[in-house]
PDB file of all heavy atoms in Angstrom:
ATOM      1  N   ALA A   1      27.429  12.429  11.534  1.00 94.00           N
ATOM      2  CA  ALA A   1      26.532  11.274  11.666  1.00 94.00           C
ATOM      3  C   ALA A   1      27.258  10.110  12.325  1.00 94.00           C
ATOM      4  O   ALA A   1      26.687   9.391  13.156  1.00 94.00           O
ATOM      5  CB  ALA A   1      26.005  10.871  10.294  1.00 94.00           C
ATOM      6  N   ALA A   2      28.544   9.922  11.980  1.00 93.00           N
ATOM      7  CA  ALA A   2      29.339   8.843  12.577  1.00 93.00           C
ATOM      8  C   ALA A   2      29.570   9.079  14.067  1.00 93.00           C
ATOM      9  O   ALA A   2      29.638   8.123  14.847  1.00 93.00           O
ATOM     10  CB  ALA A   2      30.674   8.717  11.855  1.00 93.00           C
ATOM     11  N   CYS A   3      29.693  10.337  14.473  1.00 94.00           N
ATOM     12  CA  CYS A   3      29.830  10.652  15.903  1.00 94.00           C
ATOM     13  C   CYS A   3      28.587  10.193  16.665  1.00 94.00           C
ATOM     14  O   CYS A   3      28.690   9.641  17.771  1.00 94.00           O
ATOM     15  CB  CYS A   3      30.032  12.158  16.096  1.00 94.00           C
ATOM     16  SG  CYS A   3      31.669  12.762  15.598  1.00 94.00           S
ATOM     17  N   ILE A   4      27.424  10.417  16.071  1.00 95.00           N
ATOM     18  CA  ILE A   4      26.179   9.952  16.685  1.00 95.00           C
ATOM     19  C   ILE A   4      26.185   8.423  16.776  1.00 95.00           C
ATOM     20  O   ILE A   4      25.852   7.846  17.819  1.00 95.00           O
ATOM     21  CB  ILE A   4      24.959  10.431  15.873  1.00 95.00           C
ATOM     22  CG1 ILE A   4      24.850  11.958  15.919  1.00 95.00           C
ATOM     23  CG2 ILE A   4      23.668   9.788  16.400  1.00 95.00           C
ATOM     24  CD1 ILE A   4      23.761  12.534  15.030  1.00 95.00           C
ATOM     25  N   ALA A   5      26.576   7.781  15.686  1.00 93.00           N
ATOM     26  CA  ALA A   5      26.602   6.315  15.656  1.00 93.00           C
ATOM     27  C   ALA A   5      27.502   5.754  16.750  1.00 93.00           C
ATOM     28  O   ALA A   5      27.094   4.856  17.501  1.00 93.00           O
ATOM     29  CB  ALA A   5      27.081   5.838  14.287  1.00 93.00           C
ATOM     30  N   ASN A   6      28.704   6.283  16.861  1.00 91.00           N
ATOM     31  CA  ASN A   6      29.658   5.761  17.852  1.00 91.00           C
ATOM     32  C   ASN A   6      29.227   6.062  19.280  1.00 91.00           C
ATOM     33  O   ASN A   6      29.461   5.261  20.190  1.00 91.00           O
ATOM     34  CB  ASN A   6      31.055   6.316  17.571  1.00 91.00           C
ATOM     35  CG  ASN A   6      31.687   5.676  16.355  1.00 91.00           C
ATOM     36  OD1 ASN A   6      31.605   4.472  16.169  1.00 91.00           O
ATOM     37  ND2 ASN A   6      32.305   6.478  15.500  1.00 91.00           N
ATOM     38  N   TYR A   7      28.608   7.210  19.491  1.00 93.00           N
ATOM     39  CA  TYR A   7      28.086   7.547  20.819  1.00 93.00           C
ATOM     40  C   TYR A   7      27.042   6.509  21.242  1.00 93.00           C
ATOM     41  O   TYR A   7      27.073   5.996  22.368  1.00 93.00           O
ATOM     42  CB  TYR A   7      27.474   8.947  20.797  1.00 93.00           C
ATOM     43  CG  TYR A   7      26.903   9.403  22.134  1.00 93.00           C
ATOM     44  CD1 TYR A   7      27.648  10.223  22.974  1.00 93.00           C
ATOM     45  CD2 TYR A   7      25.625   9.021  22.552  1.00 93.00           C
ATOM     46  CE1 TYR A   7      27.136  10.650  24.196  1.00 93.00           C
ATOM     47  CE2 TYR A   7      25.108   9.430  23.769  1.00 93.00           C
ATOM     48  CZ  TYR A   7      25.868  10.246  24.577  1.00 93.00           C
ATOM     49  OH  TYR A   7      25.358  10.661  25.792  1.00 93.00           O
ATOM     50  N   LEU A   8      26.127   6.196  20.340  1.00 93.00           N
ATOM     51  CA  LEU A   8      25.061   5.250  20.662  1.00 93.00           C
ATOM     52  C   LEU A   8      25.596   3.830  20.807  1.00 93.00           C
ATOM     53  O   LEU A   8      25.146   3.074  21.673  1.00 93.00           O
ATOM     54  CB  LEU A   8      23.977   5.303  19.590  1.00 93.00           C
ATOM     55  CG  LEU A   8      23.215   6.630  19.497  1.00 93.00           C
ATOM     56  CD1 LEU A   8      22.198   6.600  18.361  1.00 93.00           C
ATOM     57  CD2 LEU A   8      22.519   6.962  20.811  1.00 93.00           C
ATOM     58  N   LEU A   9      26.571   3.466  19.973  1.00 89.00           N
ATOM     59  CA  LEU A   9      27.184   2.144  20.096  1.00 89.00           C
ATOM     60  C   LEU A   9      27.868   1.985  21.447  1.00 89.00           C
ATOM     61  O   LEU A   9      27.790   0.915  22.075  1.00 89.00           O
ATOM     62  CB  LEU A   9      28.190   1.919  18.962  1.00 89.00           C
ATOM     63  CG  LEU A   9      27.601   1.640  17.573  1.00 89.00           C
ATOM     64  CD1 LEU A   9      28.683   1.726  16.507  1.00 89.00           C
ATOM     65  CD2 LEU A   9      26.924   0.275  17.528  1.00 89.00           C
ATOM     66  N   GLU A  10      28.542   3.035  21.897  1.00 87.00           N
ATOM     67  CA  GLU A  10      29.199   2.998  23.215  1.00 87.00           C
ATOM     68  C   GLU A  10      28.181   2.846  24.329  1.00 87.00           C
ATOM     69  O   GLU A  10      28.493   2.347  25.407  1.00 87.00           O
ATOM     70  CB  GLU A  10      30.028   4.267  23.431  1.00 87.00           C
ATOM     71  CG  GLU A  10      31.286   4.347  22.587  1.00 87.00           C
ATOM     72  CD  GLU A  10      32.304   3.277  22.952  1.00 87.00           C
ATOM     73  OE1 GLU A  10      32.259   2.778  24.097  1.00 87.00           O
ATOM     74  OE2 GLU A  10      33.131   2.926  22.096  1.00 87.00           O
ATOM     75  N   ASN A  11      26.957   3.296  24.068  1.00 88.00           N
ATOM     76  CA  ASN A  11      25.897   3.177  25.063  1.00 88.00           C
ATOM     77  C   ASN A  11      24.983   1.984  24.771  1.00 88.00           C
ATOM     78  O   ASN A  11      23.830   1.947  25.192  1.00 88.00           O
ATOM     79  CB  ASN A  11      25.082   4.473  25.121  1.00 88.00           C
ATOM     80  CG  ASN A  11      25.840   5.583  25.832  1.00 88.00           C
ATOM     81  OD1 ASN A  11      25.840   5.672  27.060  1.00 88.00           O
ATOM     82  ND2 ASN A  11      26.510   6.442  25.069  1.00 88.00           N
ATOM     83  N   ASN A  12      25.570   1.017  24.049  1.00 82.00           N
ATOM     84  CA  ASN A  12      24.920  -0.284  23.822  1.00 82.00           C
ATOM     85  C   ASN A  12      23.635  -0.197  23.023  1.00 82.00           C
ATOM     86  O   ASN A  12      22.711  -1.004  23.215  1.00 82.00           O
ATOM     87  CB  ASN A  12      24.641  -0.982  25.157  1.00 82.00           C
ATOM     88  CG  ASN A  12      25.064  -2.437  25.121  1.00 82.00           C
ATOM     89  OD1 ASN A  12      25.870  -2.847  24.295  1.00 82.00           O
ATOM     90  ND2 ASN A  12      24.511  -3.226  26.025  1.00 82.00           N
ATOM     91  N   ARG A  13      23.562   0.768  22.125  1.00 88.00           N
ATOM     92  CA  ARG A  13      22.444   0.873  21.193  1.00 88.00           C
ATOM     93  C   ARG A  13      22.885   0.336  19.835  1.00 88.00           C
ATOM     94  O   ARG A  13      23.999   0.625  19.387  1.00 88.00           O
ATOM     95  CB  ARG A  13      22.004   2.335  21.040  1.00 88.00           C
ATOM     96  CG  ARG A  13      21.198   2.861  22.208  1.00 88.00           C
ATOM     97  CD  ARG A  13      19.774   2.336  22.152  1.00 88.00           C
ATOM     98  NE  ARG A  13      18.891   3.100  23.006  1.00 88.00           N
ATOM     99  CZ  ARG A  13      17.564   3.033  22.946  1.00 88.00           C
ATOM    100  NH1 ARG A  13      16.984   2.226  22.075  1.00 88.00           N
ATOM    101  NH2 ARG A  13      16.816   3.732  23.752  1.00 88.00           N
ATOM    102  N   SER A  14      22.033  -0.421  19.180  1.00 86.00           N
ATOM    103  CA  SER A  14      22.384  -0.978  17.874  1.00 86.00           C
ATOM    104  C   SER A  14      22.226   0.086  16.787  1.00 86.00           C
ATOM    105  O   SER A  14      21.207   0.773  16.728  1.00 86.00           O
ATOM    106  CB  SER A  14      21.512  -2.187  17.558  1.00 86.00           C
ATOM    107  OG  SER A  14      20.144  -1.842  17.624  1.00 86.00           O
ATOM    108  N   VAL A  15      23.267   0.215  15.969  1.00 89.00           N
ATOM    109  CA  VAL A  15      23.273   1.204  14.896  1.00 89.00           C
ATOM    110  C   VAL A  15      23.831   0.558  13.630  1.00 89.00           C
ATOM    111  O   VAL A  15      24.801  -0.190  13.683  1.00 89.00           O
ATOM    112  CB  VAL A  15      24.151   2.428  15.251  1.00 89.00           C
ATOM    113  CG1 VAL A  15      24.135   3.449  14.119  1.00 89.00           C
ATOM    114  CG2 VAL A  15      23.700   3.073  16.554  1.00 89.00           C
ATOM    115  N   VAL A  16      23.194   0.844  12.509  1.00 89.00           N
ATOM    116  CA  VAL A  16      23.740   0.466  11.206  1.00 89.00           C
ATOM    117  C   VAL A  16      23.999   1.754  10.442  1.00 89.00           C
ATOM    118  O   VAL A  16      23.107   2.576  10.296  1.00 89.00           O
ATOM    119  CB  VAL A  16      22.779  -0.441  10.414  1.00 89.00           C
ATOM    120  CG1 VAL A  16      23.256  -0.586   8.968  1.00 89.00           C
ATOM    121  CG2 VAL A  16      22.677  -1.813  11.061  1.00 89.00           C
ATOM    122  N   MET A  17      25.248   1.934   9.998  1.00 90.00           N
ATOM    123  CA  MET A  17      25.596   3.090   9.170  1.00 90.00           C
ATOM    124  C   MET A  17      26.145   2.574   7.846  1.00 90.00           C
ATOM    125  O   MET A  17      27.107   1.821   7.808  1.00 90.00           O
ATOM    126  CB  MET A  17      26.642   3.970   9.856  1.00 90.00           C
ATOM    127  CG  MET A  17      26.979   5.213   9.054  1.00 90.00           C
ATOM    128  SD  MET A  17      28.028   6.394   9.976  1.00 90.00           S
ATOM    129  CE  MET A  17      28.225   7.683   8.724  1.00 90.00           C
ATOM    130  N   THR A  18      25.510   2.969   6.772  1.00 88.00           N
ATOM    131  CA  THR A  18      25.897   2.501   5.451  1.00 88.00           C
ATOM    132  C   THR A  18      25.492   3.562   4.431  1.00 88.00           C
ATOM    133  O   THR A  18      25.255   4.709   4.781  1.00 88.00           O
ATOM    134  CB  THR A  18      25.239   1.132   5.160  1.00 88.00           C
ATOM    135  OG1 THR A  18      25.706   0.644   3.920  1.00 88.00           O
ATOM    136  CG2 THR A  18      23.728   1.199   5.160  1.00 88.00           C
ATOM    137  N   SER A  19      25.421   3.185   3.161  1.00 87.00           N
ATOM    138  CA  SER A  19      24.990   4.110   2.102  1.00 87.00           C
ATOM    139  C   SER A  19      24.098   3.356   1.130  1.00 87.00           C
ATOM    140  O   SER A  19      24.133   2.122   1.057  1.00 87.00           O
ATOM    141  CB  SER A  19      26.198   4.678   1.356  1.00 87.00           C
ATOM    142  OG  SER A  19      26.839   3.672   0.594  1.00 87.00           O
ATOM    143  N   PHE A  20      23.288   4.090   0.381  1.00 86.00           N
ATOM    144  CA  PHE A  20      22.431   3.436  -0.596  1.00 86.00           C
ATOM    145  C   PHE A  20      23.267   2.768  -1.684  1.00 86.00           C
ATOM    146  O   PHE A  20      22.902   1.705  -2.194  1.00 86.00           O
ATOM    147  CB  PHE A  20      21.460   4.441  -1.209  1.00 86.00           C
ATOM    148  CG  PHE A  20      20.311   4.792  -0.310  1.00 86.00           C
ATOM    149  CD1 PHE A  20      20.094   6.092   0.104  1.00 86.00           C
ATOM    150  CD2 PHE A  20      19.438   3.802   0.133  1.00 86.00           C
ATOM    151  CE1 PHE A  20      19.038   6.417   0.936  1.00 86.00           C
ATOM    152  CE2 PHE A  20      18.375   4.115   0.972  1.00 86.00           C
ATOM    153  CZ  PHE A  20      18.174   5.426   1.374  1.00 86.00           C
ATOM    154  N   VAL A  21      24.388   3.383  -2.037  1.00 85.00           N
ATOM    155  CA  VAL A  21      25.267   2.790  -3.044  1.00 85.00           C
ATOM    156  C   VAL A  21      25.753   1.430  -2.567  1.00 85.00           C
ATOM    157  O   VAL A  21      25.732   0.442  -3.312  1.00 85.00           O
ATOM    158  CB  VAL A  21      26.467   3.717  -3.345  1.00 85.00           C
ATOM    159  CG1 VAL A  21      27.484   3.013  -4.236  1.00 85.00           C
ATOM    160  CG2 VAL A  21      25.996   5.009  -4.014  1.00 85.00           C
ATOM    161  N   ARG A  22      26.165   1.363  -1.309  1.00 86.00           N
ATOM    162  CA  ARG A  22      26.657   0.098  -0.756  1.00 86.00           C
ATOM    163  C   ARG A  22      25.535  -0.923  -0.639  1.00 86.00           C
ATOM    164  O   ARG A  22      25.729  -2.106  -0.904  1.00 86.00           O
ATOM    165  CB  ARG A  22      27.298   0.348   0.605  1.00 86.00           C
ATOM    166  CG  ARG A  22      27.900  -0.900   1.218  1.00 86.00           C
ATOM    167  CD  ARG A  22      28.739  -0.571   2.432  1.00 86.00           C
ATOM    168  NE  ARG A  22      29.311  -1.776   3.006  1.00 86.00           N
ATOM    169  CZ  ARG A  22      30.125  -1.780   4.055  1.00 86.00           C
ATOM    170  NH1 ARG A  22      30.475  -0.634   4.611  1.00 86.00           N
ATOM    171  NH2 ARG A  22      30.592  -2.896   4.540  1.00 86.00           N
ATOM    172  N   ILE A  23      24.355  -0.466  -0.227  1.00 86.00           N
ATOM    173  CA  ILE A  23      23.212  -1.367  -0.106  1.00 86.00           C
ATOM    174  C   ILE A  23      22.892  -2.005  -1.456  1.00 86.00           C
ATOM    175  O   ILE A  23      22.677  -3.218  -1.556  1.00 86.00           O
ATOM    176  CB  ILE A  23      21.977  -0.607   0.433  1.00 86.00           C
ATOM    177  CG1 ILE A  23      22.167  -0.272   1.920  1.00 86.00           C
ATOM    178  CG2 ILE A  23      20.712  -1.439   0.246  1.00 86.00           C
ATOM    179  CD1 ILE A  23      21.092   0.627   2.483  1.00 86.00           C
ATOM    180  N   LEU A  24      22.853  -1.186  -2.497  1.00 86.00           N
ATOM    181  CA  LEU A  24      22.528  -1.697  -3.828  1.00 86.00           C
ATOM    182  C   LEU A  24      23.587  -2.684  -4.315  1.00 86.00           C
ATOM    183  O   LEU A  24      23.269  -3.659  -5.003  1.00 86.00           O
ATOM    184  CB  LEU A  24      22.379  -0.532  -4.809  1.00 86.00           C
ATOM    185  CG  LEU A  24      21.165   0.372  -4.536  1.00 86.00           C
ATOM    186  CD1 LEU A  24      21.215   1.622  -5.415  1.00 86.00           C
ATOM    187  CD2 LEU A  24      19.863  -0.376  -4.756  1.00 86.00           C
ATOM    188  N   GLN A  25      24.854  -2.441  -3.923  1.00 85.00           N
ATOM    189  CA  GLN A  25      25.913  -3.392  -4.271  1.00 85.00           C
ATOM    190  C   GLN A  25      25.718  -4.714  -3.533  1.00 85.00           C
ATOM    191  O   GLN A  25      25.928  -5.793  -4.090  1.00 85.00           O
ATOM    192  CB  GLN A  25      27.277  -2.793  -3.935  1.00 85.00           C
ATOM    193  CG  GLN A  25      27.707  -1.665  -4.861  1.00 85.00           C
ATOM    194  CD  GLN A  25      28.996  -0.994  -4.412  1.00 85.00           C
ATOM    195  OE1 GLN A  25      29.410  -1.122  -3.253  1.00 85.00           O
ATOM    196  NE2 GLN A  25      29.632  -0.266  -5.317  1.00 85.00           N
ATOM    197  N   GLU A  26      25.319  -4.618  -2.254  1.00 83.00           N
ATOM    198  CA  GLU A  26      25.087  -5.823  -1.452  1.00 83.00           C
ATOM    199  C   GLU A  26      23.955  -6.670  -2.034  1.00 83.00           C
ATOM    200  O   GLU A  26      23.982  -7.902  -1.970  1.00 83.00           O
ATOM    201  CB  GLU A  26      24.734  -5.421  -0.013  1.00 83.00           C
ATOM    202  CG  GLU A  26      25.869  -4.810   0.782  1.00 83.00           C
ATOM    203  CD  GLU A  26      26.733  -5.853   1.452  1.00 83.00           C
ATOM    204  OE1 GLU A  26      26.358  -7.037   1.433  1.00 83.00           O
ATOM    205  OE2 GLU A  26      27.790  -5.479   1.978  1.00 83.00           O
ATOM    206  N   LEU A  27      22.958  -6.006  -2.600  1.00 85.00           N
ATOM    207  CA  LEU A  27      21.765  -6.704  -3.071  1.00 85.00           C
ATOM    208  C   LEU A  27      21.971  -7.444  -4.391  1.00 85.00           C
ATOM    209  O   LEU A  27      21.106  -8.228  -4.793  1.00 85.00           O
ATOM    210  CB  LEU A  27      20.607  -5.705  -3.227  1.00 85.00           C
ATOM    211  CG  LEU A  27      20.052  -5.098  -1.936  1.00 85.00           C
ATOM    212  CD1 LEU A  27      18.978  -4.070  -2.258  1.00 85.00           C
ATOM    213  CD2 LEU A  27      19.493  -6.177  -1.020  1.00 85.00           C
ATOM    214  N   LYS A  28      23.091  -7.194  -5.062  1.00 82.00           N
ATOM    215  CA  LYS A  28      23.334  -7.830  -6.353  1.00 82.00           C
ATOM    216  C   LYS A  28      23.297  -9.359  -6.220  1.00 82.00           C
ATOM    217  O   LYS A  28      24.001  -9.944  -5.401  1.00 82.00           O
ATOM    218  CB  LYS A  28      24.700  -7.413  -6.914  1.00 82.00           C
ATOM    219  CG  LYS A  28      24.705  -6.010  -7.504  1.00 82.00           C
ATOM    220  CD  LYS A  28      26.072  -5.691  -8.089  1.00 82.00           C
ATOM    221  CE  LYS A  28      26.098  -4.288  -8.705  1.00 82.00           C
ATOM    222  NZ  LYS A  28      27.448  -3.964  -9.246  1.00 82.00           N
ATOM    223  N   GLY A  29      22.472  -9.979  -7.021  1.00 79.00           N
ATOM    224  CA  GLY A  29      22.412 -11.443  -7.027  1.00 79.00           C
ATOM    225  C   GLY A  29      21.563 -12.034  -5.917  1.00 79.00           C
ATOM    226  O   GLY A  29      21.447 -13.253  -5.817  1.00 79.00           O
ATOM    227  N   PHE A  30      20.977 -11.203  -5.057  1.00 84.00           N
ATOM    228  CA  PHE A  30      20.136 -11.725  -3.975  1.00 84.00           C
ATOM    229  C   PHE A  30      18.788 -12.179  -4.520  1.00 84.00           C
ATOM    230  O   PHE A  30      18.184 -11.497  -5.346  1.00 84.00           O
ATOM    231  CB  PHE A  30      19.884 -10.642  -2.919  1.00 84.00           C
ATOM    232  CG  PHE A  30      20.991 -10.491  -1.912  1.00 84.00           C
ATOM    233  CD1 PHE A  30      22.249 -11.015  -2.150  1.00 84.00           C
ATOM    234  CD2 PHE A  30      20.774  -9.817  -0.726  1.00 84.00           C
ATOM    235  CE1 PHE A  30      23.275 -10.872  -1.237  1.00 84.00           C
ATOM    236  CE2 PHE A  30      21.795  -9.673   0.204  1.00 84.00           C
ATOM    237  CZ  PHE A  30      23.033 -10.199  -0.052  1.00 84.00           C
ATOM    238  N   ASP A  31      18.317 -13.329  -4.047  1.00 85.00           N
ATOM    239  CA  ASP A  31      16.941 -13.705  -4.348  1.00 85.00           C
ATOM    240  C   ASP A  31      16.021 -13.003  -3.348  1.00 85.00           C
ATOM    241  O   ASP A  31      16.484 -12.308  -2.450  1.00 85.00           O
ATOM    242  CB  ASP A  31      16.758 -15.225  -4.310  1.00 85.00           C
ATOM    243  CG  ASP A  31      17.134 -15.826  -2.957  1.00 85.00           C
ATOM    244  OD1 ASP A  31      17.098 -15.114  -1.940  1.00 85.00           O
ATOM    245  OD2 ASP A  31      17.478 -17.031  -2.923  1.00 85.00           O
ATOM    246  N   LYS A  32      14.721 -13.202  -3.495  1.00 85.00           N
ATOM    247  CA  LYS A  32      13.763 -12.488  -2.639  1.00 85.00           C
ATOM    248  C   LYS A  32      13.971 -12.806  -1.167  1.00 85.00           C
ATOM    249  O   LYS A  32      13.908 -11.923  -0.309  1.00 85.00           O
ATOM    250  CB  LYS A  32      12.338 -12.884  -3.054  1.00 85.00           C
ATOM    251  CG  LYS A  32      11.232 -12.132  -2.321  1.00 85.00           C
ATOM    252  CD  LYS A  32      11.250 -10.655  -2.650  1.00 85.00           C
ATOM    253  CE  LYS A  32       9.982  -9.961  -2.171  1.00 85.00           C
ATOM    254  NZ  LYS A  32       9.736 -10.068  -0.724  1.00 85.00           N
ATOM    255  N   GLY A  33      14.284 -14.067  -0.861  1.00 88.00           N
ATOM    256  CA  GLY A  33      14.473 -14.463   0.531  1.00 88.00           C
ATOM    257  C   GLY A  33      15.658 -13.770   1.179  1.00 88.00           C
ATOM    258  O   GLY A  33      15.553 -13.227   2.285  1.00 88.00           O
ATOM    259  N   ARG A  34      16.802 -13.782   0.492  1.00 88.00           N
ATOM    260  CA  ARG A  34      18.007 -13.135   1.040  1.00 88.00           C
ATOM    261  C   ARG A  34      17.831 -11.626   1.115  1.00 88.00           C
ATOM    262  O   ARG A  34      18.327 -10.980   2.034  1.00 88.00           O
ATOM    263  CB  ARG A  34      19.217 -13.479   0.170  1.00 88.00           C
ATOM    264  CG  ARG A  34      19.691 -14.919   0.286  1.00 88.00           C
ATOM    265  CD  ARG A  34      20.962 -15.145  -0.488  1.00 88.00           C
ATOM    266  NE  ARG A  34      22.086 -14.411   0.078  1.00 88.00           N
ATOM    267  CZ  ARG A  34      23.264 -14.260  -0.527  1.00 88.00           C
ATOM    268  NH1 ARG A  34      23.450 -14.764  -1.741  1.00 88.00           N
ATOM    269  NH2 ARG A  34      24.242 -13.596   0.060  1.00 88.00           N
ATOM    270  N   GLU A  35      17.120 -11.074   0.142  1.00 85.00           N
ATOM    271  CA  GLU A  35      16.867  -9.629   0.151  1.00 85.00           C
ATOM    272  C   GLU A  35      16.029  -9.238   1.364  1.00 85.00           C
ATOM    273  O   GLU A  35      16.320  -8.242   2.043  1.00 85.00           O
ATOM    274  CB  GLU A  35      16.151  -9.239  -1.135  1.00 85.00           C
ATOM    275  CG  GLU A  35      16.030  -7.739  -1.343  1.00 85.00           C
ATOM    276  CD  GLU A  35      15.433  -7.399  -2.693  1.00 85.00           C
ATOM    277  OE1 GLU A  35      16.144  -7.532  -3.704  1.00 85.00           O
ATOM    278  OE2 GLU A  35      14.242  -6.995  -2.731  1.00 85.00           O
TER     279      GLU A  35
END
């Protein structure tokens, strides 16, 4: 999956690669607006 991400990034396509675990950690303490 990361090979796909880097290929597209090299071709100037926007890609976000993350995990649900990381997303849920990021959301801790967020209000509705920041979320």
Side-chain angles (χ1 to χ4, degrees):
C3 287
I4 295 174
N6 287 317
Y7 180 98
L8 295 178
L9 286 168
E10 289 294 336
N11 285 277
N12 226 20
R13 284 283 196 166
S14 56
V15 180
V16 169
M17 183 171 179
T18 185
S19 69
F20 283 120
V21 172
R22 183 170 180 178
I23 288 172
L24 293 171
Q25 288 174 342
E26 291 274 351
L27 292 176
K28 283 182 179 179
F30 277 17
D31 58 24
K32 185 65 168 59
R34 289 186 66 191
E35 189 175 285

